């Protein structure tokens, strides 16, 4: 949240965590100045890592400027991870 106040000029942020069917969704929005288009096209390593982790869990990660201003981050992953198959040697 420190980034929100220092760089985005946001005065408020909202976090929502909800279960939608068999998935968990986290949505974070703020009322700041939004992200430069270049940062949306060429995301930082932090964003790349968050997206990779969500995809690794079978979900997705979205980062976008909101039409009314600010940014929205949305992550959705399965509520339960598939159990790993047991591997038997030999």
């Amino acid at each position: 949240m420190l980034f929100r106040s220092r760089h985005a000029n946001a005065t408020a942020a909202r976090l929502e965590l909800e279960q939608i069917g068999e998935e968990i969704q986290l949505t974070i929005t703020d009322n700041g100045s939004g992200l430069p288009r270049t940062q949306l096209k060429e995301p930082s390593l932090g964003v790349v890592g968050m997206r990779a982790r969500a995809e690794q869990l079978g979900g997705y990660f979205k980062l976008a400027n909101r039409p009314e201003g600010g940014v929205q981050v949305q992550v959705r992953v399965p509520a339960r991870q598939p159990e790993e198959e047991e591997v038997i040697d030999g």
Side-chain angles (χ1 to χ4, degrees):
M1 294 300 157
L2 188 56
F3 177 85
R4 171 181 58 89
S5 63
R6 282 193 183 166
H7 303 288
N9 299 316
T11 58
R14 179 180 176 116
L15 285 78
E16 296 177 57
L17 183 63
E18 57 188 322
Q19 184 164 354
I20 301 172
E22 296 295 317
E23 297 178 312
I24 301 292
Q25 179 171 291
L26 172 65
T27 304
I28 305 168
T29 55
D30 73 24
N31 66 347
S33 56
L35 295 171
R37 288 180 190 246
T38 55
Q39 192 169 356
L40 292 173
K41 290 181 181 179
E42 298 177 24
S44 68
L45 288 177
V47 170
V48 169
M50 288 184 279
R51 180 172 286 124
R53 182 67 175 144
E55 290 173 357
Q56 181 182 22
L57 293 171
Y60 68 81
F61 173 92
K62 293 181 183 179
L63 175 66
N65 284 324
R66 299 171 58 210
E68 62 273 22
V71 172
Q72 177 171 303
V73 176
Q74 190 174 69
V75 181
R76 188 182 283 198
V77 295
R80 295 178 189 227
Q81 295 300 307
E83 297 195 24
E84 293 184 26
E85 293 182 24
E86 184 177 340
V87 177
I88 301 173
D89 290 334

